[in-house]
Structures are given as C-alpha cells and as structure tokens.
Amino acid sequence: MSGITPELVAEHGLSADEYGRILELLGRAPSLVELGVFSVMWSEHCSYKSTRVHLRRLPTKAPWVIQGPGENAGVVDIGDGDAAVFKMESHNHPSFIEPYQGAATGVGGIMRDVFTMGARPIAMLNALRFGAPQHPKTRHLLSGVVAGIGGYGNCMGVPTVGGEVNFHRSYNGNILVNAMCVGLARADKIFLSAAKGAGNPVVYIGSKTGRDGIHGATMASAEFGEDAQEKRPTVQVGDPFTEKLLLEACLELMETDAIIAIQDMGAAGLTSSSAEMADKGGSGIDLDLDKVPQREAEMTAYEMMLSESQERMLAVLKPGREKQAEAIFKKWELDFAVIGVTTPTDRLVVRHRGQVVADLPVGALSNAAPLYERPFERRPATSGVPAYDRNRPLGDCLLHLLGSPDLCARRWIWEQYDHTVMNDTVQRPGGDAAVVRVHASQKALAMTTDVTPRYCFADPFEGGKQAVAEACRNLSAVGARPLAATDNLNFGNPQKPEIMWQIVAAIDGIAEACRVLDCPIVSGNCSLYNETNGEGILPTPTIGAIGLIGDVQRMASLAFKREGDALLLLGHTRGHLGQSIFLREIEGREEGAVPPVDLVAERDHGGFVRGLIEAGLVDTCHDVGDGGLLVAVSEMALAGDIGVVLAPTKGGDGPAAGSVDDVAFWFGEDQGRYLLSVPADQAGEVLAEARRRRLPCWRIGEVCGDHLVLGGTKLSLEQLRAVHEGWFPAYMGQGELPPVN
C-alpha cells in the first residue's frame, strides 16, 4: 500500500485528474517522495501549465540573441566578445509571509540564475508593489522588503541601481517583489544546464541542505487564505556571505573546462535542478541522498528532495575532474560532494539508506506535465472620457501629485542600497533608466523595469503594449538602443476566466510591442495565484529591459544642466486623463479609457531621440509618464536644481491637439512623449530635423531661475522639493501617515 490518499494528493496541490495522470504515467501508485516530486514539478511555479501555450506567441529571437527562454537566464551579444546575461523573477508569496527573508532570498536566487550562466552580476533592479499606505501591514512589509533587498545585495557587493515602487489596495493581501539581475560574461563562455552524456559525475556545491523552504514552489502556486502566516516554514533563509563565496568559486571553476552543465537549486531545489538538467540533456540521473551535505539530523528523502535551502548549485562534470573541482570549493570553504551520476536511462532514480525511494521517467516530470488551455472570458476595455474639474489650480494639483505615494521621490528606498559599489554605476537610481559601464570600456548597459498595472486592469492588451513601450522609452531617454527584455507576469487565479483573459490579452500586447520595437523576450517568470481570500491583484506584467550605449560619454540624463536651454516636447498631447494618476489622486476615481499606444510612433520617436543623443545634440532628456507633462518637467528641474518658465503655444500648430484644456494638457498621460532640454542655439536644428522626419516637436519653455513658472503659477524649487522628498521619510518615521487622497 502506498498510503496516498485523496486528502494527501490535495495537500500537495494536485487535482484528482492530475493524480490520475500520474497513475497512468507510472503504471502504479507513487511513493510519498515521488508524489512530492510530481507536486513541485507540476506546480504552476515550475511547469507554467496555465501559460505555456500562450507564452509561445512571444518573440524570442534576434541576431544579437545568444540564448532565449528555457535556460537560467537570457543572453544577448553586446559586441567585442561581451555578452549581457539577465533575468527577472518573483518572490511574492514568501515576501508577504516573511518580508526580509522573502525579499533577500529573491535577490539571491536571481543572482544565482545569472552567475550559473558564467556571468558576473553587475547590477540589480527590483519592481515592488505594496498595498494601500493606510493598510496596517503596508509599512511593515515595505520596511522588511527594502531591508532584505539591501541586506543581501549590499553584502554581495552588487549595486542595486533601479526599479519601481507603487501602492494600490489590490496588493493589500499579496504584495509583489520582482527582482532582476544583469551580469556580464564572455560570449564564448556561456554555461548551460543540459546534462548531456552518461557516466558523468553529478556534484552538489554550496551550502548544506536544511528543512527550510520545503514546498515553497507549491506555496507559490496557490492563493492565500486566512492561514497565510502559518506558511512561514516554507520561506527560505538566505546567507549572502555564503552566496558571495559560491559566486567566486563557480566563476573560478568556470575558468577551467571541467563543467558539462550547471544549474541553480532554486524553486523545488534538488528535484527541479536534477530533473530539468536531465530533461534538457536527454539523459537520466541517479542520485544518492546519503551523500547530500545536511544541516539537520535525520532528514528524510522527501525533505531533501523538496528543500529550497539557499546558496546551492548542482553541476555535471567531466569524468576525472572531481578532485580539481573539490579543491576549488574547499578553498572557498564550501561544501562539495559527488551525489550522483548521469545515466542513459532517461529516468530520475533517487536512493536513500540503501533503498530506491523514487524511480521516475524524466519526461513525466517535464514534457508530460499538464498543459492547460484554460477558458477565458473576454472583458471589454474600459472606455470613455472621465469627467473632471477643468478649473482646478494647476499649482495645487502639481504639489499634491509630487507628494503622492506613487509619484514622490524614492530616495528613502534607494539610499538603503549600495548603488555605486564596483564603481561602474554612471546613472544612479531616480532617472529614466540606470546606466552601468561595461568595466574597462566605453560601452554601457542601460536597464529599467516598467509596467502600469492600472492600465493593465482597464485594458490588458493595451497595458501589455504600454509596459514594453515605456521600458523602451526609458532606455531611449538615456541614449540606449533597446536590446531585449525579460518579463515577470504577475496575475491572480488563472482558473477564473476573467483572470485568464487578463493573462492572454497582456501576453498578446507584450508580443505585439516586442515585435514592432524589435525587443525580444529572452527570459522571464510567471507568478500566478496572487490572491488572498479570492481578492486578486491588479494584473502586473512587469517588463525588465536592457539597452546598449556605445559611448558612455554620449549619454543623457533627466536633470536640467544649463540656464538658457530651450525645453522641447516631442510627441502629441491629446490630454488623456482616463486611468491617470491625476484622476485617481485628485478626483478620487479610477475610470475611463487608457491612453492608446502607437507603436510606430514609439519606434520613430525613440530612434529620433537616440540619434540626437548619439550626435551630441542632446544631453538632457526625460520621458513623460505617470502624472503627465507638468510632473515630468518638475522632476527635471528638481534633478538639475534649475527652474523653468513654461509658455507653450496653444492651438494652431501648438503641441496640444484640438481644444485640450490646461488640466488635461499638463496632467494627461499621452504615450510616446519626450522632453528635451537643448542649448538655445541648437534648438532650431533639432526642431528642423523633427519637421524633416514629420515628427511632432515644439518648444514649450526656457530653463532658467529657481522657480517653475506657468502663467500665473509660480512655485519655488524649494516648495516642490519639500513635497516631493517628504512623503517616504514621514511615512516610514514615527509620525502620522501623510494625508493621501
């Protein structure tokens, strides 16, 4: 008797139909260890059973793509024999239960995904979503997550250079912590995870295995209920000092030719790393758990196979190279053990205490995993032009928006991260995109994370397009040519037709934008079941993108740099206030149509801006995003500590299309727009080139003084800075919560 009951199957997150499929594949009932292996390998987190059929529509290839989806991270060629390796992944559920360790181990896990490819991590980014500021848990979760990200990244000596932080009540019971890592490698020294061949030693390296993180992948594939805090034991515990040793030891081993394949022990630990390596290499693996380094006494085979203890790797070496590899890891004071061998059987065989505790066909864990085409229910996008008070004082609105949780300065957060370690960060957090120099060269990589969840909820297709377009726009604004993207698809329960529609439509929007903007998806992660008690998050398909700057001396930033510069606006303004920050923060409503994304215009405007920056005509640029034009201008003024006088021509051939009123013009969130600050004597040349290309571009002001002046509105930079910089320190201090609409 196997002792497998329907209740036990359900506890492992498997449906009755899925268990029936396991019985068919095995021709017998599974052992408890085998049930555990199936539960994690067939979980949503590992198998992508609800999304695989749709993810195939994403463009993944380009001449510069070296490695697309399917490996630990994506790889793109950046010239001169160099390659950028990058990926983004979620650690949402663990971070809600235990914010410090959840966020810290998310950082550690994504770093391992990058250095297991042979790359040295050079930068970290994060995209964070929290509940309403007034919610009793938000401040605690925010504090813990930021401390966890900083604690791990700072100890690793990898700069955290960018990201985003937003608040919305939909995340009250399920925050999002998406971590992105970018690394550098030689293009001809990329390491993959395919365990090819038979008779090759399988080695365990890194930390010892403990009981932390067991069933972490299964937990990440289910929504929360009232018992969320009881799942604390499924959260892993990280040690960045051990990870630093593991990084250096792995890179040293990679300088030899001893490695056939290497894989991070991430979600599902030893189970997923061994099964995935065998599947990719077309081989089998025979494991002896008695040889696994263990941190705790009397660990069972079930516990060892499902543990998600951190800072561990699995590698397949060439025969006879074990002693060479062991010497390296012993030098770095890390555990090293030969725990198995590759076989020609296409089976995963697990032995413990002289007994075979699992004997499974590798294909049953990978290719035979469930693949669902879940039903979806198309929901019309929100529509209409929302009503608003057209007579609101512009200055009052601006001050309110600059001091609101989603638009205020994030300095309190990023100053807790070491963003300059390694001495190659050339644009720190707070701009459109972070920029990190490729060490000992004139090249630089720009990087960003972007998505607007309120757009994705109102219109998931347009929202998916916008996430990619905004990411490419942020890269172009610093002068970088977008190369590729990684996605982190955060959604609710895919078994609900309305949620599945959000997933399908957002993927289609992302795919269309990636095709038009020539920015393929090379890696990514799906995080579903982000719900608590049936209440789902806003659909949040985060896009992380990287771009290349050929000459770091020709780079733009958002800060005003010279008095007397002309301020130019590229792109049409039609005054779209639907789903805008203005509408939510000032009018107290979330409604209306989202601003449409013209991908051809995005491509043309981005190319024009990059050309100006490369030619040395523009060194100051900022894309216009959340909050609209007046917020963007204020950010440029505050960053450069120089004022601006705004005097756009309205009507006729001016930048406002039709009869756009002042409120809609200054706070509308029309897409595809950039602000350019250029020396006055060069403004005519830029405008003429825009006209030649038939691009909409106008002069709207002059950089000067220490105030923002707009008609009868005059605000000092001191006023603007006080509200912009004040919210986070006040919120995270001991005082009362700042007023929020």
Side-chain angles (χ1 to χ4, degrees):
M1 296 290 291
S2 71
I4 305 298
T5 65
E7 291 76 18
L8 190 60
V9 170
E11 286 175 13
H12 280 74
L14 294 163
S15 70
D17 287 344
E18 288 171 344
Y19 184 65
R21 189 168 181 173
I22 291 171
L23 295 178
E24 290 177 11
L25 288 166
L26 297 183
R28 58 176 172 79
S31 67
L32 179 61
V33 174
E34 290 171 334
L35 182 70
V37 167
F38 272 108
S39 78
V40 292
M41 291 303 294
W42 283 16
S43 69
E44 193 74 62
H45 191 78
C46 291
S47 75
Y48 292 4
K49 56 192 174 186
S50 297
T51 55
R52 286 207 317 272
V53 67
H54 302 291
L55 293 172
R56 294 168 183 163
R57 297 195 294 275
L58 293 171
T60 60
K61 299 181 189 293
W64 53 89
V65 173
I66 296 173
Q67 177 64 56
E71 272 294 339
N72 288 292
V75 186
V76 294
D77 191 330
I78 59 171
D80 306 311
D82 296 321
V85 181
F86 69 107
K87 189 182 183 183
M88 179 163 50
E89 278 201 345
S90 61
H91 233 221
N92 304 334
H93 286 58
S95 298
F96 181 75
I97 296 169
E98 176 51 67
Y100 184 95
Q101 289 297 346
T105 52
V107 169
I110 196 63
M111 282 196 197
R112 287 195 301 279
D113 280 339
V114 166
F115 72 73
T116 193
M117 302 287 290
R120 179 173 292 279
I122 62 164
M124 290 293 304
L125 299 91
N126 52 77
L128 312 177
R129 260 82 195 180
F130 297 98
Q134 301 90 338
H135 191 274
K137 286 187 176 180
T138 298
R139 191 161 12 196
H140 161 71
L141 292 169
L142 172 61
S143 177
V145 165
V146 170
I149 290 170
Y152 208 102
N154 295 354
C155 290
M156 283 293 294
V158 178
T160 299
V161 297
E164 51 185 346
V165 182
N166 293 107
F167 301 86
H168 191 274
R169 61 185 178 278
S170 76
Y171 305 106
N172 282 350
N174 202 126
I175 64 173
L176 300 184
V177 176
N178 297 169
M180 177 176 169
C181 182
V182 181
L184 284 175
R186 296 300 294 172
D188 60 352
K189 292 281 284 183
I190 302 298
F191 289 82
L192 305 179
S193 59
K196 297 178 180 178
N200 300 317
V202 177
V203 301
Y204 173 116
I205 48 186
S207 290
K208 289 180 170 61
T209 293
R211 291 187 170 95
D212 52 322
I214 294 174
H215 275 300
T218 308
M219 174 196 68
S221 305
E223 60 183 84
F224 284 144
E226 297 293 347
D227 63 343
Q229 290 304 314
E230 296 175 14
K231 299 185 179 184
R232 192 178 300 269
T234 60
V235 177
Q236 311 94 323
V237 177
D239 178 359
F241 300 104
T242 299
E243 176 119 338
K244 175 63 173 173
L245 299 177
L246 183 62
L247 163 65
E248 299 301 339
C250 285
L251 293 181
E252 183 173 337
L253 181 61
M254 288 166 175
E255 289 297 315
T256 73
D257 63 347
I259 297 174
I260 293 174
I262 186 166
Q263 170 93 352
D264 163 42
M265 284 193 224
L270 188 54
T271 290
S272 64
S273 56
S274 57
E276 290 173 5
M277 291 175 80
D279 177 58
K280 292 173 185 175
S283 68
I285 286 185
D286 197 319
L287 296 176
D288 183 352
L289 298 186
D290 294 339
K291 297 178 179 177
V292 170
Q294 298 165 50
R295 188 169 71 230
E296 301 181 45
E298 300 299 318
M299 288 193 71
T300 66
Y302 181 95
E303 291 170 331
M304 280 187 275
M305 288 301 289
L306 271 62
S307 168
E308 293 185 9
S309 294
Q310 296 292 285
E311 294 86 42
R312 302 179 301 160
M313 308 282 271
L314 197 67
V316 176
L317 303 181
K318 294 177 180 177
R321 309 302 289 273
E322 297 93 325
K323 291 298 183 184
Q324 179 186 18
E326 182 178 16
I328 291 172
F329 284 90
K330 292 300 183 186
K331 183 185 79 172
W332 290 99
E333 300 181 348
L334 295 166
D335 279 286
F336 176 95
V338 179
I339 66 168
V341 63
T342 59
T343 68
T345 63
D346 296 326
R347 298 188 74 83
L348 175 64
V349 179
V350 182
R351 307 174 195 276
H352 187 227
R353 297 173 184 168
Q355 301 292 318
V356 173
V357 295
D359 186 350
L360 301 169
V362 170
L365 302 175
S366 54
N367 297 332
L371 180 61
Y372 295 127
E373 294 193 44
R374 298 196 186 276
F376 52 83
E377 183 179 296
R378 296 176 184 271
R379 178 173 59 85
T382 59
S383 59
V385 178
Y388 58 94
D389 184 350
R390 297 167 182 257
N391 298 312
R392 288 189 181 274
L394 299 179
D396 292 349
C397 293
L398 175 61
L399 291 171
H400 185 104
L401 291 176
L402 284 178
S404 65
D406 274 8
L407 293 179
C408 67
R410 270 75 177 121
R411 183 185 300 275
W412 180 90
I413 292 176
W414 57 256
E415 283 189 342
Q416 297 186 55
Y417 306 148
D418 190 337
H419 49 275
T420 59
V421 65
M422 299 175 77
N423 206 34
D424 280 318
T425 304
V426 291
Q427 279 209 39
R428 65 182 190 175
D432 287 314
V435 180
V436 178
R437 188 195 320 270
V438 175
H439 194 67
S441 80
Q442 285 301 303
K443 295 182 300 191
L445 288 173
M447 51 203 76
T448 183
T449 65
D450 293 288
V451 67
T452 309
R454 62 185 187 277
Y455 292 174
C456 296
F457 180 76
D459 186 338
F461 177 75
E462 207 67 25
K465 284 169 55 181
Q466 193 271 344
V468 177
E470 184 181 3
C472 290
R473 204 183 311 138
N474 281 328
L475 296 175
S476 295
V478 298
R481 177 174 69 87
L483 290 176
T486 179
D487 58 12
N488 204 146
L489 307 181
N490 307 276
F491 291 89
N493 185 345
Q495 297 177 54
K496 296 179 178 178
E498 64 275 19
I499 301 298
M500 198 63 221
W501 165 241
Q502 294 175 352
I503 297 170
V504 171
I507 288 173
D508 285 343
I510 291 169
E512 181 172 317
C514 287
R515 279 190 294 270
V516 175
L517 299 177
D518 209 10
C519 186
I521 299 287
V522 297
S523 60
N525 170 245
C526 291
S527 174
L528 309 185
Y529 295 96
N530 288 290
E531 299 198 3
T532 298
N533 296 327
E535 293 294 319
I537 62 165
L538 293 180
T540 312
T542 311
I543 298 295
I546 68 166
L548 181 65
I549 297 175
D551 181 356
V552 74
Q553 301 303 317
R554 294 286 175 92
M555 175 187 70
S557 67
L558 61 79
F560 286 150
K561 297 175 179 64
R562 294 166 296 273
E563 295 230 10
D565 270 13
L567 183 62
L568 310 182
L569 172 62
L570 174 67
H572 284 298
T573 299
R574 295 178 173 85
H576 280 282
L577 285 173
Q579 304 298 332
S580 66
I581 292 281
F582 171 88
L583 193 70
R584 189 181 76 195
E585 296 294 327
I586 304 295
E587 297 287 343
R589 303 195 312 281
E590 297 178 51
E591 61 186 41
V594 304
V597 178
D598 182 337
L599 292 172
V600 173
E602 293 277 3
R603 183 189 63 201
D604 293 346
H605 294 181
F608 178 61
V609 167
R610 293 194 302 272
L612 294 174
I613 296 170
E614 289 168 6
L617 290 172
V618 168
D619 62 2
T620 305
C621 180
H622 189 20
D623 89 305
V624 182
D626 281 355
L629 190 53
L630 201 53
V631 168
V633 171
S634 300
E635 291 168 344
M636 298 174 80
L638 290 172
D641 201 27
I642 308 176
V644 61
V645 177
L646 298 167
T649 302
K650 303 296 282 292
D653 190 35
S659 56
V660 178
D661 62 83
D662 282 349
V663 167
F665 179 80
W666 290 111
F667 299 114
E669 295 180 4
D670 303 84
Q671 300 295 294
R673 296 183 297 167
Y674 297 81
L675 285 163
L676 310 171
S677 175
V678 300
D681 59 356
Q682 294 178 358
E685 182 181 352
V686 173
L687 290 168
E689 180 61 19
R691 282 194 298 272
R692 190 183 70 78
R693 298 191 187 199
R694 299 184 178 178
L695 299 178
C697 191
W698 298 271
R699 182 169 181 158
I700 65 165
E702 180 185 356
V703 177
C704 62
D706 57 4
H707 285 72
L708 184 150
V709 180
L710 173 57
T713 299
K714 186 175 183 180
L715 298 169
S716 70
L717 295 184
E718 185 178 355
Q719 285 177 277
L720 297 175
R721 197 179 309 282
V723 296
H724 192 50
E725 299 274 0
W727 191 87
F728 259 105
Y731 180 60
M732 298 309 297
Q734 299 302 312
E736 291 296 313
L737 178 66
V740 178
N741 214 30

